[in-house]
Structures are given as structure tokens and as C-alpha cells.
């Protein structure tokens, strides 16, 4: 990538005018909206805001593949059905040939990005990651969107390096941008239950801030619908908005709902219920809950350009509805997805189904790159 193009990717999108700060909603107002607002009122406000930010009526998507290089993870989060112990029979770490074949297939399908993420494997050190990135970049022209903050911290701590040093080394080896995974809910009270071994909220935010200050773009996510309270959701949104005010480095926000299948959190709750205890809400969020949180995210995060609809967790039909509740992006075609699929929820689709779904919802479908530059659009 030329220096000029790189500059465009790191700065241009930050210059889009956003809602004046004096008009932004407060935490108190947001909490009241989340608890009391009528669904359609909330949707209309979010839709108006999407229109203001994206008047061209384009809904974007990226063609990419999730590559999970290992499922071995020492964190063992209670909401996660993907992790395995090193000794488990179905534990794996992908070999290079398999990985390269996946990238080749992605490029063959018009893909521009791989989202590469995995567990925290005790045997993989920074040299593994550097070599992995270099080996991909030597062979393929593809954007590497990789390693969520828990992985970055794990690599840094194992190598006894600062976050800045670690990100600089990974970037030099080929890392382009950082996905917002591992945020769940940025409230340590909730994290203590969902993922007690995982990095705390402040460290997740520190990784993102450091990446942004180095000129890297990242996304931000939020997993809701497990044991958090409405207040926790607002705390999360406020943390993202505050960091975005300071750095402008988030390209998009992706709220998605907890999928309880095959998770320890869900099994524990069933056990407590059988003993007559009170159970946390372990059904996946309803469509109404999803749309409310999505709409509020659009309204609250007035400084984040793009809000993604999560068709992987909500299905294509609800994702279409989400386009009138603040979302302007369909995320990725996900040629491959393993983490949500391990909970038993497996929605697969093709690029053309996504195009049709966007068009049928009244928008112009467009393929984008990682930085939301439009590559191709389907006008009619
Ligand atoms: S969510 Fe990530 S860190 Fe937690 S157990 Fe699963 S793979 Fe490991």
C-alpha cells in the first residue's frame, strides 16, 4: 500500500462531520431510553441519525473469512463454546498449508480481508505471530484484520513487552488492523463472571488507544444479553464514545447478542435452576432487545461512522430490519465462521444473498474494504 493510501485509510474517515457534542445524549437519557422508550420511536431516531451520517442509502459489506488459527485457550471464558484444552481431542492449531489454502480460497471469492483470531495458546510466542504474519504477507495481497485485545495483551505479556512495542512489531510484520473482540461488556463486575481470566476493561481500551495512536484502525464490539444490566450497557457505550472522542480510530461498532448454546454459563444456570435458584437470563436476546440495543448504539455513538448488523447471530431477516434501526453495514460475508457456530447457531449465507437482502430492504448494496472504502456497488 502506498503511503498516500495508508494515510487515507488512517485519517480520511475521521474527518466526517459528526453530530455536535452539545446535541449528544447523556448517560442518564440513554439509560432511560433503553429502559422505557418505545421500540419504534427508538428505531426512528436511530434511522434518522443513520440517514444523516449516510444519506447516500448505501449499505456496505466486506468479503472476508474468519480464520481461527487455534482453539486452545487458557482463558476458558464461561460464555464461550469455542475454547479447548491443549490435551482435548478436538484441540487444533492450523498448519500453514491449511491456512494458506483458506486465504487462496478467500481471494478467489473476491475477498479483501481475513479476520484472524484464536485462543490464548500457552505454547505460541511472539515469534510464532511474527512469522505467521510475514508468511501471509509474503504470499498474498490481503488485509490482515487480526488479534483481538486479549491476544495482543497475551503476546505482550509473554514476551515481556509493552503494548506499544508489541503492536509495532506485529504491524511491521504485516498486521493491518485490529478487531474489537474480547470486549464483551466493558464492566469489570460483569467480566468477573463471564471471563474472570480475561483482561479487564481498562486494558481492552488501552490496546485500542495504543493501536489508534500508532495510526491503526480498529473496530469495537459489545456482547450483550447475558448477565449485564442496562447500566452496564451504557457504561460500555460511554467507554467507546469517550475513546473515540480522543482518537477517532474506531471504524465501526458491532453489537451482538450472547448465544447460550454449549456454554459453561448456560450449563451453570441450568444447574442452579435445578437446585431451585434464580437463573440469569440465558435465552438469546429477543429481536426486540437486539433492535433496542442496536438503535441505542447508533444514537449514543454519534462519533462512530458505522454500525454493523449482526446477521450471524440474528439471521438475515432480522439483519434487514436492523437497517432501519441504525445499522448501515452488514459486516462480513464470513466465508468461514467458527466461534458463534460452536454454540450451535450456524447461519451461512453467500455474497449474493447479502446483496439481495440489502436491496430488498431498500438500500444500495456495496462491497467495501476494511477501511470502508467502496470497491463496488450494485445499483439495481
Ligand atoms: S472468548 Fe476468547 S479468550 Fe475467552 S475462552 Fe473463548 S477464545 Fe478464549
Amino acid at each position: 500500500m502506498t503511503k498516500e493510501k495508508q494515510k487515507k485509510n488512517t485519517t480520511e474517515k475521521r474527518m466526517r462531520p459528526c453530530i455536535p457534542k452539545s446535541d449528544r445524549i447523556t448517560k442518564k437519557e440513554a439509560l432511560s431510553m433503553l429502559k422505557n422508550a418505545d421500540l419504534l420511536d427508538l428505531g426512528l431516531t436511530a434511522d434518522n441519525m443513520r440517514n444523516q451520517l449516510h444519506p447516500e442509502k448505501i449499505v456496505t459489506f466486506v468479503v472476508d473469512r474468519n480464520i481461527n488459527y487455534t482453539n486452545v485457550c487458557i482463558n476458558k471464558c464461561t460464555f464461550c463454546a469455542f475454547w479447548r484444552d491443549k490435551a482435548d481431542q478436538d484441540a487444533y492449531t492450523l498448519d500453514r498449508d491449511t491456512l494458506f489454502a483458506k486465504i487462496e480460497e478467500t481471494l478467489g471469492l473476491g475477498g479483501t480481508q481475513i479476520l484472524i483470531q484464536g485462543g490464548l495458546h500457552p505454547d505460541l510466542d511472539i515469534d510464532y505471530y511474527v512469522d505467521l504474519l510475514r508468511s501471509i504477507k509474503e504470499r498474498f495481497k490481503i488485509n490482515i484484520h487480526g488479534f483481538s485485545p486479549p491476544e495482543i495483551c497475551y503476546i505482550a505479556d509473554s514476551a515481556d513487552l509493552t503494548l506499544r512495542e508489541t503492536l509495532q512489531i506485529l504491524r511491521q510484520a504485516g498486521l493491518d488492523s485490529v478487531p474489537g473482540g474480547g470486549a464483551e461488556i466493558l464492566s469489570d463486575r460483569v467480566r468477573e463472571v463471564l471471563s474472570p481470566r480475561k483482561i479487564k476493561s481498562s486494558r481492552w481500551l488501552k490496546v485500542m488507544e495504543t493501536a489508534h495512536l500508532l495510526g491503526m484502525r480498529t473496530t469495537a464490539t459489545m456482547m450483550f444479553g447475558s448477565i449485564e444490566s442496562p447500566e452496564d450497557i451504557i457504561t460500555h457505550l460511554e467507554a467507546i464514545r469517550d475513546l473515540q472522542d480522543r482518537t477517532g480510530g474506531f471504524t465501526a461498532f458491532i453489537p451482538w447478542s450472547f448465544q447460550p448454546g454449549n456454554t459453561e454459563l448456560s450449563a451453570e444456570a441450568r444447574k442452579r435452576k435445578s437446585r431451585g435458584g434464580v437463573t440469569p437470563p440465558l435465552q438469546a436476546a429477543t429481536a426486540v432487545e437486539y433492535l433496542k440495543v442496536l438503535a441505542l448504539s447508533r444514537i449514543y455513538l454519534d462519533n462512530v461512522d458505522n454500525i454493523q448488523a449482526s446477521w450471524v447471530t440474528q439471521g438475515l431477516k432480522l439483519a434487514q430490519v436492523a437497517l432501519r434501526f441504525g445499522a448501515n453495514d452488514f459486516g462480513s460475508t464470513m466465508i468461514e465462521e467458527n466461534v458463534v457456530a460452536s454454540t450451535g447457531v450456524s447461519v451461512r449465507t453467500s455474497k449474493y444473498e447479502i446483496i439481495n437482502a440489502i436491496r430488498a430492504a431498500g438500500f444500495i448494496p456495496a462491497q467495501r474494504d476494511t477501511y470502508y472504502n467502496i470497491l463496488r456497488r450494485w445499483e439495481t
Side-chain angles (χ1 to χ4, degrees):
M1 186 186 296
T2 64
K3 277 201 172 132
E4 201 179 324
K5 179 88 191 266
Q6 199 167 32
K7 192 167 169 235
K8 191 174 169 208
N9 288 338
T10 55
T11 59
E12 186 189 74
K13 297 290 176 182
R14 301 175 195 200
M15 283 151 51
R16 184 196 284 269
C18 60
I19 310 293
K21 278 194 189 165
S22 54
D23 291 347
R24 62 174 27 170
I25 61 166
T26 63
K27 288 205 287 189
K28 205 170 152 196
E29 286 165 340
L31 186 60
S32 167
M33 279 170 137
L34 188 57
K35 286 181 172 173
N36 311 316
D38 176 78
L39 173 68
L40 295 184
D41 288 345
L42 207 50
L44 190 61
T45 310
D47 195 40
N48 286 337
M49 200 156 155
R50 181 195 51 75
N51 256 326
Q52 216 176 320
L53 291 166
H54 304 279
E56 60 288 344
K57 292 206 91 178
I58 285 176
V59 169
T60 45
F61 64 89
V62 66
V63 178
D64 92 337
R65 167 179 221 137
N66 281 14
I67 298 181
N68 302 110
Y69 57 94
T70 182
N71 64 350
V72 174
C73 187
I74 57 162
N75 265 5
K76 307 182 180 181
C77 303
T78 61
F79 70 89
C80 174
F82 174 71
W83 68 266
R84 295 291 181 272
D85 268 325
K86 215 169 100 175
D88 286 342
Q89 272 197 337
D90 52 353
Y92 73 82
T93 301
L94 291 183
D95 61 55
R96 292 293 153 87
D97 287 345
T98 308
L99 187 99
F100 296 156
K102 285 174 187 287
I103 299 174
E104 252 166 42
E105 191 193 10
T106 306
L107 287 168
L109 291 166
T112 56
Q113 165 185 292
I114 49 166
L115 168 54
I116 186 159
Q117 288 191 128
L120 311 187
H121 192 307
D123 298 343
L124 303 183
D125 60 14
I126 193 164
D127 294 338
Y128 167 86
Y129 291 94
V130 167
D131 193 47
L132 178 75
L133 291 163
R134 280 201 189 127
S135 68
I136 295 171
K137 285 291 185 182
E138 274 164 17
R139 288 168 178 78
F140 305 104
K141 193 167 173 290
I142 199 158
N143 194 88
I144 305 180
H145 188 52
F147 312 133
S148 58
E151 290 164 276
I152 305 271
C153 289
Y154 191 62
I155 298 168
D157 294 347
S158 309
D160 204 14
L161 294 168
T162 64
L163 291 176
R164 187 182 162 83
E165 288 164 343
T166 305
L167 280 162
Q168 277 175 322
I169 290 169
L170 296 176
R171 191 182 191 195
Q172 216 165 18
L175 182 65
D176 294 297
S177 53
V178 177
E184 283 80 69
I185 289 281
L186 294 171
S187 149
D188 290 341
R189 183 191 70 77
V190 177
R191 297 175 86 74
E192 208 44 58
V193 179
L194 295 184
S195 45
R197 296 185 194 89
K198 210 176 228 177
I199 55 170
K200 301 293 177 237
S201 313
S202 56
R203 217 154 174 230
W204 187 95
L205 290 161
K206 195 73 202 164
V207 172
M208 291 311 192
E209 183 174 4
T210 308
H212 296 170
L213 294 178
L214 286 171
M216 299 174 85
R217 305 304 303 272
T218 78
T219 55
T221 65
M222 174 172 72
M223 185 198 77
F224 65 95
S226 63
I227 56 157
E228 82 284 344
S229 64
E231 285 80 359
D232 294 319
I233 289 178
I234 306 303
T235 300
H236 185 108
L237 294 177
E238 173 58 21
I240 300 296
R241 189 167 80 174
D242 174 63
L243 180 55
Q244 183 76 338
D245 273 346
R246 289 185 280 119
T247 65
F250 290 122
T251 53
F253 184 68
I254 311 146
W256 62 285
S257 60
F258 167 59
Q259 304 300 312
N262 302 329
T263 64
E264 188 188 326
L265 190 64
S266 166
E268 276 299 310
R270 275 199 302 277
K271 270 191 235 160
R272 279 197 296 277
K273 188 172 187 186
S274 68
R275 292 186 219 118
V278 178
T279 59
L282 290 171
Q283 302 300 317
T286 64
V288 170
E289 288 160 342
Y290 172 73
L291 292 173
K292 274 192 164 185
V293 171
L294 181 80
L296 187 71
S297 303
R298 174 62 291 166
I299 297 164
Y300 201 84
L301 298 176
D302 51 40
N303 53 1
V304 177
D305 279 348
N306 304 292
I307 303 287
Q308 280 187 23
S310 175
W311 62 262
V312 176
T313 57
Q314 309 304 319
L316 268 186
K317 289 178 180 172
L318 188 55
Q320 280 182 304
V321 179
L323 299 180
R324 299 310 299 267
F325 281 76
N328 66 292
D329 185 82
F330 240 56
S332 143
T333 52
M334 294 217 191
I335 297 162
E336 176 180 347
E337 199 287 328
N338 304 298
V339 176
V340 174
S342 59
T343 67
V345 175
S346 187
V347 183
R348 310 254 29 99
T349 193
S350 70
K351 178 164 115 178
Y352 292 99
E353 279 179 301
I354 286 181
I355 290 168
N356 285 339
I358 293 170
R359 195 181 271 147
F363 295 91
I364 302 164
Q367 184 180 342
R368 64 166 171 85
D369 66 11
T370 308
Y371 307 98
Y372 285 77
N373 300 306
I374 303 288
L375 305 176
R376 182 183 169 190
R377 62 174 83 187
W378 286 262
E379 293 286 351
T380 50

